[in-house]
Amino acid sequence: MSDEEGTGIVHIAPGCGQEDFALSKQFDLAVIDPIDEFGRFKDGFGWETGRYAGADDPDGADLAREVADDLDAKGLLVRREEYRHSYPVCWRCGTQAVFRLVDEWFIAMDPLRAELSDATRAAGWLPEGIGLEERELDWLRNMSDWMISKKRYYGLALPIWTCTDCDAWEVIGTHDELRERAVAGWDAFEGHTPHRPWIDGVEIACASCGGPAQRIRDVGNPWLDAGIVGLSTMGWTTDRDYWAEWYPADFVTESFPGQFRNWFYALITESTVMTGRPPFKTLFGYANMRDEHGEEMHKSKGNAIWFDDAAEQIGADVMRWMFSAANPAVNMNFGYHLAHEEVRRFFLPLWNTYSFFVTYARLDGWTPASPEADAAAAARTLLDRWVLSRLAAVTGEVAAALDGFDAQRATRAIEGFVDELSNWYVRRNRRRFWKGELDDDKRAAHATLHRVLVDTSRLLAPFVPHLAEAMWQNLVVAVDAGAPDSVHLADFPRVDAGARDSALEEGVALARRVVALGRTARAASGVKTRQPLAAARIKLPAASGGALHPDAGVAEALTREVMDELNVKAVEVLSDESEMVERTLYPLLPVIGPRRGAAVGAVMAGARAGEWRLLDDGGVAVGGVELGPDEFQLTARARPGHEVAEEGDLLVALDTALTDELQAEGLAREVAHRLQNLRKAAGYQISDRVVAWIGGDGDLLARLRPFQAWLADEVLATRLHVGDASPQGAQASESVDHDGRTLELALRRA
């Protein structure tokens, strides 16, 4: 390669390309080896001898320009010009590199291709479906001979001895063979590992001429060394029976893009040649890591993140979870913003759920060793049974995923369960924990949530060991002297088959879909969440049989959950969505024109008249023609006084008409919310009782009086005064504007 601004010399290396070498012989091109191992010209090159051959001369000279000047002085320079082109540099330090002609050692791979391919097919490759095995096979089909030598000092000493008299060479296979063949240097070598400098002193007698043979100075390619570890470190040469107990490896993992032609290739080749089988049962290859913008990380770019820094700022557990949850088939983006999003999305909901339980268990003095445990189990509610069923399902899914080395599937299952636990079970059961008396119902709530959190900590242990351990120490070790001292000494949870209730899980899942759509409809209507509505009218999927659950009692309980979540007074199941939605059919003329020809007129007329019907396959029958899903559009408009949201075959319509009674209850809920915020602002504990006052607009107070007892119960007030007392001794107060009128709120600790 030429240097940056001059004319260069092309060096052809024997062994680096036989066709090129043959070409040089055909035209009698001399093979020139001018540069020594330090990058300087050898003797015999005139004034260049001893000079550095690269563009960055350590002595500050510019050899390329001096060569051009020398040619010019001799009248041999045709033209001088400058141009920019790529130049090799060291990827670590950026120093310019110099090409040097050297001899290297290769292993001929053609005789091994079929055998290596068979071994590759015999192993398992993960993740499935992205062609890792085929990519490895493609490399095996197209690779050149394997260069196994390196011009370095440290490394695996290649066991090749060459004769100083006749240039014959041979490979020494074992330690014992070298001892038997040695004619010099064995005493100095014995007791040392077969590395430089000790191995270099051993001479043998040449098998061809009897002359002295010395080891070549080359060491092995690092991947040659890395590929043999499964044999060299487990007794292949010393204890074959022990080695056989552990070989092949059950699991190997590394980045596939960087290793399919390096380490994986070396492992497969050396194991196949030496043992006749693949070196691993399962290989898990993953893509590369980038920064959070998808750019390669480099120290020189300033976007590299060091482990110690990341562990300090976001925690090792968060990083472990991010890597476990990433899709290994695609490049992973990593950065602090993404880590903080992971904390917000998963870790905080989990920790808040754990903290919620601990807080109320301590307030109630509840422990898992309470004598009423049996009675509490009998008092479990529908949602208690549901969350235990979901726990059993998730335990089975996580175990199956880990058995298949699928960390992403396992973490996604846990994330989904934590969302259900936090955003459904705990939120739907808050009042059971809030109420004062520790009755069987409350004990059942404590026992259920404790069981779920304990098993969740065991599920989490392989992924986030520190968080799981913190939960285990407080939930288990602190209250059970006979429990394992660490979650990492406890068994992985087993599936409680008796807890599974698939029908209940499906019913709750459907109820949650109804709630999600109801919230969408409410948001579209602009009606506040705390404002009660008269009814939610729902059209359920046909597969549900027109009910949230096959059992009428369970369906009724789920309906109450939906009513409470949507803040509606009733839930009505519709048999026909047309009661709530008016749909209009719009045939797509640019599509149906070329397809339907003369039938277009009848189709359009039928659409205008509303004489059409939906088909089971998603199409529509209109004007004597069946249109496919890509040939029309349907629009939906809610009936007056309703807001509608739909998803697939599920529809939810909210009755948005507000009566005076509903508005009064909405006001009471808003006031309760403001009083709760006052409690927090005043720094009260969740168990603190208060005295509260509500004053202000007389009409608003009149609307609040029917809810006085309810408000007192909501805010843990021993007394709640509505307009008939002044807030003497109040510790917190707030003015609330409601439709242009004012309420004054105040409270103090009782």
Side-chain angles (χ1 to χ4, degrees), residues 11-28:
H11 304 299
I12 302 174
C16 292
Q18 296 299 326
E19 293 181 1
D20 292 337
F21 186 60
L23 187 65
S24 71
K25 291 294 186 182
Q26 179 181 348
F27 292 98
D28 288 329

Side-chain angles (χ1 to χ4, degrees), residues 515-534:
V515 168
L517 283 182
R519 289 174 180 158
T520 300
R522 184 182 281 268
S525 72
V527 179
K528 293 181 178 180
T529 302
R530 282 183 286 276
Q531 172 59 60
L533 298 176

Side-chain angles (χ1 to χ4, degrees), residues 68-138:
D69 292 342
D70 183 62
L71 292 172
D72 193 16
K74 294 175 180 177
L76 300 175
L77 185 66
V78 177
R79 184 172 66 253
R80 183 193 296 263
E81 65 182 51
E82 294 186 2
Y83 62 95
R84 301 186 67 82
H85 66 103
S86 60
Y87 198 94
V89 296
C90 174
W91 67 274
R92 287 186 180 273
C93 65
T95 303
Q96 292 183 351
V98 178
F99 282 108
R100 178 178 172 235
L101 178 66
V102 294
D103 288 321
E104 299 289 1
W105 291 84
F106 291 76
I107 294 177
M109 299 306 296
D110 282 339
L112 300 174
R113 292 185 197 275
E115 190 177 358
L116 298 182
S117 297
D118 290 342
T120 299
R121 295 187 183 97
W125 296 78
L126 295 175
E128 297 176 346
I130 63 171
L132 297 190
E133 176 183 343
E134 184 52 41
R135 286 181 64 185
E136 189 70 41
L137 290 171
D138 183 68

Side-chain angles (χ1 to χ4, degrees), residues 535-734:
R537 299 179 173 91
I538 61 177
K539 171 66 171 62
L540 295 173
S544 71
L548 292 174
H549 191 275
D551 182 271
V554 175
E556 182 180 354
L558 291 176
T559 299
R560 289 195 298 270
E561 299 289 342
V562 171
M563 289 169 56
D564 199 32
E565 279 290 296
L566 294 182
N567 196 10
V568 297
K569 298 300 182 182
V571 170
E572 301 173 11
V573 177
L574 304 175
S575 59
D576 185 356
E577 66 177 31
S578 63
E579 299 179 40
M580 289 293 106
V581 176
E582 180 182 353
R583 297 190 185 277
T584 303
L585 174 68
Y586 291 96
L588 300 176
L589 275 173
V591 178
I592 67 172
R595 295 182 185 177
R596 304 299 180 177
V600 169
V603 169
M604 299 305 294
R608 285 192 295 270
E611 297 173 352
W612 53 271
R613 59 185 176 84
L614 287 172
L615 303 175
D616 293 339
D617 62 359
V620 65
V622 57
V625 176
E626 293 186 0
L627 299 181
D630 65 332
E631 296 179 307
F632 65 91
Q633 288 182 346
L634 282 178
T635 62
R637 185 174 61 186
R639 299 294 184 185
H642 291 80
E643 190 67 52
V644 171
E646 60 181 330
E647 178 187 67
D649 52 0
L650 177 63
L651 178 144
V652 178
L654 295 184
D655 186 340
T656 56
L658 297 179
T659 64
D660 291 341
E661 291 78 7
L662 290 173
Q663 290 178 331
E665 185 176 345
L667 173 62
R669 289 175 178 267
E670 181 65 27
V671 169
H673 173 68
R674 295 300 186 98
L675 287 171
Q676 293 285 20
N677 286 342
L678 272 183
R679 286 177 55 96
K680 294 179 183 177
Y684 296 162
Q685 299 298 316
I686 59 175
S687 59
D688 285 344
R689 302 291 169 168
V690 299
V691 176
W693 293 269
I694 306 173
D697 183 85
D699 180 56
L700 296 182
L701 294 177
R703 294 163 68 181
L704 285 174
R705 284 194 177 93
F707 302 96
Q708 187 168 355
W710 177 84
L711 282 168
D713 187 54
E714 283 292 300
V715 301
L716 297 183
T718 57
R719 287 171 293 164
L720 187 141
H721 306 279
V722 179
D724 57 356
S726 60
Q728 296 178 353
Q731 296 166 329
S733 61
E734 179 185 13

